[in-house]
Amino acid sequence: MRILARLGIIAGGGDLPRAVAQSIRADGGEVFVIGLAGSLGESDIWVRDFPHEMISVGAPGQAFRSLRRENVTEVLLAGKVDRPNFSDLKLDMKGITLLPRALKAARQGDDALLRFLVTMFEEEGLRALSVAEAAPGLVCAEGPLGRLTPDDDHRADMERGFAIVRSLGALDVGQAAAVCEGLALAVEAAEGTDRMIDRIATLRPALRGTPGHKLGVLVKALKPTQDAKTDMPVIGVATVDRAAAAGLAGIGLQAGGALIVDKAAVAARADALGLFVMGVTL
Amino acid sequence: MRILARLGIIAGGGDLPRAVAQSIRADGGEVFVIGLAGSLGESDIWVRDFPHEMISVGAPGQAFRSLRRENVTEVLLAGKVDRPNFSDLKLDMKGITLLPRALKAARQGDDALLRFLVTMFEEEGLRALSVAEAAPGLVCAEGPLGRLTPDDDHRADMERGFAIVRSLGALDVGQAAAVCEGLALAVEAAEGTDRMIDRIATLRPALRGTPGHKLGVLVKALKPTQDAKTDMPVIGVATVDRAAAAGLAGIGLQAGGALIVDKAAVAARADALGLFVMGVTL
């Protein structure tokens, strides 16, 4: 196992940064968390369990100074980062310097913006790690996670779903899609995976399954353009709940290209609700 | 101008079949409408203005007999057809014979199903026409439809939107997308264009425009896999209303590859609401 020096976690919202911090601590590593004010929600009180500081995305200078003070040389970006409203952003000096490049990157899409953030840390002499490097236990492995496995129809739907996600991903659009008996039920763009799953239940019943008669699959995969250091697709227990409520029969994930927060809990929930969760090598 | 013999219109829901029938009549042609029961809505009373018959999608034998009786040799499919729930469908003899092929096509996606329907009519000795052939006045031309034209940002968003739609279309997913300052706001799958547009207003305000400060574009284009005889993308006055409510600045359409129902009314509404409607040669 890799022995980690003190790692800086640049933490957005959601469960992933918490799972990363806990995984590293469980592996004997130390972390310093920079919570992104505005992206971390009220419920993200987990940061209090770790040495941390809350910083605005407009104040990268403050973040760099804190990381130097804490002797952090490696950083990791995790969690959902709200695209800032650049015109309202309060900027420190470093922020003013970096803004033109940030705006240019933002115009090219989310991936370009995230790649810019990684580059920004690297230019300050910090090494950027991926979640896969720092917390390998969160990475999806090949094969089923719980007891259930996909049948031939599910496999065909997964294959079509992965083709859609890879094609969309190459254009930096989204990393999730849902397919039911060959029909693309929903494709993810700016609304995110949760809302994409939720709208499946609003489609006409003839097109989709129900919690009592499950049909179709959700798939998530890394965008081909995507730097694994930034925004790997991620699922957790809530994703399984949503997929079940949408009448889906299972979830297909790119093995080595997706993260699972709280694997044991995800497997247990999938078993309880009658869904498969499957890692597939693309 | 092409002189039409009596043309059979296989009419699903929405404004397109009405516009086609009216356009052909205005051009001096005659039509016989087969209204698809279940797909035509309560408001589709326009069929009463034309010789017509309502037929279930499970009864193609009845449709073929009616078309022969009416001396129809050319047909055109137009309007939204609800994917039938095959297990509930009441079938006539011809329907039973054709069902296995219909099911196979349905599993391959909407385009495959529509191509099958066209083939089905052709096998009965009927020629299938496209809307573009029968009612060329509905086809989107190159250039702006109303007074407004896209600026450079809009053009960049349209270019990105068309790239997304072409890529998705090649996989038979959808034919519409919305892009705002480089970000893919929404991508169409089974929910259809209307609901895709409507959810843009529910995205975080930092990502999108508003009716008072319009940003971003809706684009629609023919799927590369798509047979122009079946399901050409279409907009009408209601599409302009929806795009305006979603805060979009305009609509980009594939010139020669999209239909506009009631062009004069669409241009007037776009002018009134401050949107551009632009035909672009891809």
Side-chain angles (χ1 to χ4, degrees):
Chain A
M1 186 176 47
R2 193 170 175 289
I3 303 301
L4 290 159
R6 192 172 209 194
L7 179 77
I9 298 178
I10 318 300
D15 286 329
L16 180 60
R18 169 190 59 74
V20 171
Q22 289 171 344
S23 170
I24 291 167
R25 182 177 273 177
D27 284 352
E30 272 188 58
V31 302
F32 177 73
V33 179
I34 292 195
L36 294 176
S39 293
L40 247 64
E42 295 287 320
S43 62
D44 293 315
I45 51 170
W46 64 269
V47 292
R48 296 185 199 160
D49 294 338
F50 298 87
H52 73 279
E53 188 171 333
M54 298 298 293
I55 292 183
S56 152
V57 286
Q62 187 189 345
F64 298 143
R65 280 191 300 277
S66 299
L67 292 169
R68 272 195 293 274
R69 184 193 69 223
E70 301 288 332
N71 294 315
V72 166
T73 56
E74 295 183 322
V75 294
L76 176 155
L77 284 77
K80 290 178 208 143
V81 181
D82 280 355
R83 242 185 192 225
N85 187 338
F86 288 107
S87 55
D88 289 349
L89 207 57
K90 287 201 175 56
L91 298 162
D92 67 6
M93 281 303 293
K94 196 77 190 177
I96 292 168
T97 314
L98 292 170
L99 186 65
R101 285 165 64 200
L103 284 169
K104 181 158 180 266
R107 290 185 80 90
Q108 292 163 4
D110 276 5
D111 278 355
L113 184 54
L114 285 164
R115 275 194 302 275
F116 165 72
L117 292 177
V118 168
T119 306
M120 187 183 81
F121 283 104
E122 288 173 341
E123 287 175 359
E124 292 291 317
L126 294 151
R127 197 168 99 82
L129 294 187
S130 68
V131 171
E133 289 174 292
L138 303 185
V139 177
C140 175
E142 189 170 68
L145 183 65
R147 275 198 325 266
L148 291 156
T149 52
D151 67 19
D152 286 350
D153 285 348
H154 302 142
R155 284 178 192 275
D157 281 345
M158 279 202 286
E159 192 175 332
R160 183 152 153 66
F162 282 124
I164 292 168
V165 170
R166 300 292 280 183
S167 171
L168 273 176
L171 291 163
D172 190 12
V173 173
Q175 50 180 218
V179 176
C180 180
E181 298 189 322
L183 180 72
L185 294 181
V187 168
E188 179 195 24
E191 75 279 16
T193 307
D194 286 351
R195 291 175 58 192
M196 188 209 83
I197 300 171
D198 291 350
R199 74 170 170 269
I200 293 170
T202 70
L203 296 173
R204 279 179 293 113
L207 302 182
R208 57 172 169 86
T210 61
H213 179 63
K214 296 186 179 68
L215 288 173
V217 299
L218 166 72
V219 303
K220 296 195 80 169
L222 203 58
K223 300 176 191 171
T225 59
Q226 201 165 24
D227 187 328
K229 286 191 176 58
T230 52
D231 182 31
M232 266 174 101
V234 54
I235 69 155
V237 171
T239 318
V240 177
D241 287 341
R242 288 192 130 92
L248 295 172
I251 301 174
L253 299 171
Q254 180 182 3
L259 303 171
I260 303 173
V261 171
D262 303 327
K263 275 185 185 174
V266 166
R269 189 65 62 94
D271 288 349
L273 295 174
L275 276 77
F276 67 84
V277 176
M278 183 83 183
V280 177
T281 300
L282 298 189
Chain B
M1 186 176 45
R2 190 169 178 289
I3 304 300
L4 289 161
R6 192 172 210 195
L7 180 76
I9 297 178
I10 317 300
D15 286 329
L16 180 60
R18 170 191 59 74
V20 170
Q22 289 173 343
S23 170
I24 291 167
R25 181 176 274 178
D27 284 353
E30 271 188 61
V31 302
F32 177 73
V33 179
I34 291 194
L36 294 175
S39 293
L40 245 65
E42 294 287 321
S43 61
D44 294 315
I45 51 171
W46 64 269
V47 291
R48 297 186 198 159
D49 294 338
F50 297 87
H52 73 279
E53 187 171 335
M54 299 298 294
I55 292 183
S56 152
V57 286
Q62 187 189 346
F64 299 144
R65 281 191 299 276
S66 299
L67 292 169
R68 272 194 294 273
R69 184 193 69 223
E70 301 288 331
N71 293 315
V72 167
T73 56
E74 295 183 322
V75 293
L76 176 155
L77 283 77
K80 291 177 208 143
V81 180
D82 279 354
R83 243 185 192 226
N85 187 338
F86 287 106
S87 55
D88 289 350
L89 207 58
K90 289 202 176 55
L91 298 162
D92 68 5
M93 280 303 293
K94 196 78 191 176
I96 292 168
T97 313
L98 291 170
L99 187 66
R101 285 166 65 199
L103 284 169
K104 181 157 181 266
R107 291 185 78 90
Q108 292 164 5
D110 276 6
D111 278 355
L113 183 55
L114 285 162
R115 275 194 304 274
F116 165 73
L117 292 177
V118 169
T119 306
M120 187 183 81
F121 283 103
E122 287 173 340
E123 287 175 359
E124 292 292 317
L126 295 151
R127 197 168 99 82
L129 294 186
S130 68
V131 172
E133 290 174 292
L138 304 185
V139 177
C140 175
E142 187 169 70
L145 183 66
R147 276 198 325 266
L148 291 158
T149 53
D151 67 19
D152 286 349
D153 284 349
H154 302 143
R155 284 177 193 276
D157 281 345
M158 278 200 288
E159 193 173 331
R160 183 152 153 65
F162 282 124
I164 291 168
V165 170
R166 299 294 278 183
S167 171
L168 271 177
L171 290 163
D172 190 11
V173 174
Q175 49 180 220
V179 176
C180 180
E181 298 190 321
L183 180 71
L185 295 181
V187 168
E188 180 194 22
E191 75 279 17
T193 307
D194 286 352
R195 291 175 57 191
M196 188 208 83
I197 300 171
D198 291 350
R199 75 170 170 267
I200 293 170
T202 70
L203 295 173
R204 279 180 293 116
L207 302 182
R208 58 174 169 84
T210 61
H213 179 62
K214 297 186 180 67
L215 288 173
V217 300
L218 167 72
V219 303
K220 296 195 81 168
L222 203 58
K223 299 176 192 172
T225 60
Q226 201 164 26
D227 187 329
K229 286 190 176 58
T230 52
D231 181 32
M232 266 174 100
V234 54
I235 70 156
V237 171
T239 317
V240 178
D241 287 342
R242 288 193 129 90
L248 295 172
I251 300 173
L253 299 171
Q254 180 182 3
L259 304 171
I260 303 173
V261 172
D262 304 327
K263 275 185 184 174
V266 167
R269 188 67 62 92
D271 288 349
L273 295 175
L275 276 76
F276 67 83
V277 176
M278 183 83 184
V280 178
T281 300
L282 297 189

